[in-house]
Amino acid sequence: MASQVYNEVVESNKQYANNFGDKGSLPLPPGRKFAILTCMDARIETGGAFGLKEGDAHVIRNAGGRASDDAIRSLVISYKLLGTKEFFVVHHTDCGMQLFTNEIISDLLSKSLETATVDASGWHDVGKGPGSNEGKFINFLTFKDLEKSVREDVERIQTHPLVPKTIPVYGFIYDVKTGQLIRVQ
């Protein structure tokens, strides 16, 4: 039996497809020739926050907006095969990646695979096992210092051997309370 969310998504897509217009003729390369690496946080609406419409830019999202190997893979494809000329790294205030460490999430996963809870005393596993020790082999790329995490990711992209020095990489923090972008140098 389908969930309510499933039904809402399918119905919304029908409405979207009915009004799709000429979007099917958009070219594969992004029209404004840039890519954004940002967080998967649902509070970041990339169209409004970054002035985008469909076809403008590549938007690469992951937990924390981190310059992981997979994010860099996407950025390399974006410039090498699809012609982007600039990269934006955008982290944000009130990021959940600042609320735990690799050790915390690995420990929680080892106990159960159900959703954990958090309160003033920290994270708690409320599920029943089994869990998995596989979390110990993943770097979840957590961080404590927001500006430092942006600088680290900008530097990682700038110095990556597969990214040409001619591509500017800009760092920003998106304020989830005001919607403003704050440049990080």
Side-chain angles (χ1 to χ4, degrees), residues 53-98:
K53 63 184 186 317
E54 287 151 308
D56 277 351
H58 287 148
V59 180
I60 300 153
R61 297 180 81 149
N62 65 31
R66 301 307 311 265
S68 63
D69 288 347
D70 192 58
I72 291 174
R73 176 188 69 89
S74 295
L75 290 169
V76 168
I77 291 167
S78 179
Y79 91 80
K80 184 67 175 177
L81 301 179
L82 297 165
T84 55
K85 309 254 185 246
E86 301 176 79
F87 297 156
F88 289 72
V89 174
V90 184
H91 295 191
H92 66 91
T93 58
D94 194 32
C95 185
M97 296 299 286
Q98 294 178 280

